[in-house]
Coordinates of all heavy atoms in Angstrom, one line a residue:
M182 N 87.4 58.0 -56.2 CA 86.2 57.9 -57.0 C 86.6 57.7 -58.5 O 85.8 57.2 -59.2 CB 85.4 59.2 -56.8 CG 85.0 59.5 -55.4 SD 84.1 61.1 -55.2 CE 82.5 60.7 -55.9
L201 N 94.4 69.4 -71.7 CA 94.1 70.1 -72.9 C 92.9 71.1 -72.7 O 92.9 72.2 -73.2 CB 93.8 69.2 -74.1 CG 95.0 68.4 -74.7 CD1 94.5 67.4 -75.7 CD2 96.0 69.4 -75.3
S226 N 76.5 107.0 -78.2 CA 76.0 107.0 -76.9 C 76.6 105.9 -76.0 O 76.4 105.9 -74.8 CB 74.5 106.7 -77.0 OG 74.2 105.5 -77.6
P230 N 85.1 101.2 -74.2 CA 85.6 100.1 -73.4 C 86.8 100.4 -72.6 O 87.6 101.2 -72.9 CB 85.9 99.0 -74.5 CG 86.3 99.9 -75.7 CD 85.4 101.0 -75.7
M269 N 74.6 61.5 -53.0 CA 73.7 60.9 -53.9 C 73.8 59.4 -53.9 O 72.9 58.6 -54.3 CB 73.9 61.4 -55.3 CG 73.6 62.9 -55.5 SD 71.9 63.3 -55.0 CE 71.0 62.3 -56.1
G319 N 66.4 82.5 -60.7 CA 65.8 81.5 -59.8 C 65.4 80.2 -60.5 O 65.6 79.1 -59.9
G333 N 73.4 64.7 -63.0 CA 74.6 64.3 -63.6 C 75.7 63.7 -62.7 O 76.4 62.7 -63.0
K337 N 77.1 60.1 -63.4 CA 78.5 60.1 -64.0 C 79.6 60.5 -63.0 O 80.8 60.2 -63.3 CB 78.6 61.0 -65.2 CG 77.8 60.5 -66.4 CD 78.3 59.2 -67.0 CE 77.6 58.8 -68.3 NZ 78.2 57.6 -68.9
S349 N 82.3 75.9 -71.1 CA 81.4 77.0 -71.0 C 82.1 78.3 -71.5 O 81.4 79.2 -72.0 CB 80.8 77.2 -69.6 OG 81.8 77.5 -68.7
G362 N 77.5 90.7 -80.8 CA 78.4 91.4 -81.8 C 79.8 91.6 -81.3 O 80.5 92.6 -81.7
L365 N 85.6 88.5 -82.6 CA 86.1 87.1 -82.4 C 87.6 87.1 -82.9 O 87.9 87.5 -84.0 CB 85.3 86.2 -83.3 CG 85.7 84.7 -83.2 CD1 85.4 84.2 -81.8 CD2 84.9 83.9 -84.2
L376 N 90.2 73.2 -76.6 CA 89.3 72.9 -75.5 C 88.4 71.7 -75.9 O 88.2 70.8 -75.1 CB 88.6 74.1 -75.1 CG 87.9 74.2 -73.7 CD1 87.7 75.6 -73.3 CD2 86.5 73.5 -73.8
D391 N 84.1 52.9 -68.8 CA 82.8 52.3 -68.5 C 82.6 51.0 -69.3 O 82.1 50.0 -68.8 CB 81.7 53.3 -68.9 CG 81.7 54.5 -68.0 OD1 82.3 54.4 -66.9 OD2 81.1 55.5 -68.3
S402 N 80.1 37.6 -63.9 CA 78.8 37.0 -63.6 C 78.7 35.5 -63.8 O 78.2 34.8 -63.0 CB 77.7 37.8 -64.3 OG 77.7 39.2 -63.9

Side-chain angles (χ1 to χ4, degrees):
M182 302 174 76
L201 288 175
S226 59
M269 295 307 300
K337 292 292 186 178
S349 63
L365 184 63
L376 198 156
D391 293 340
S402 297

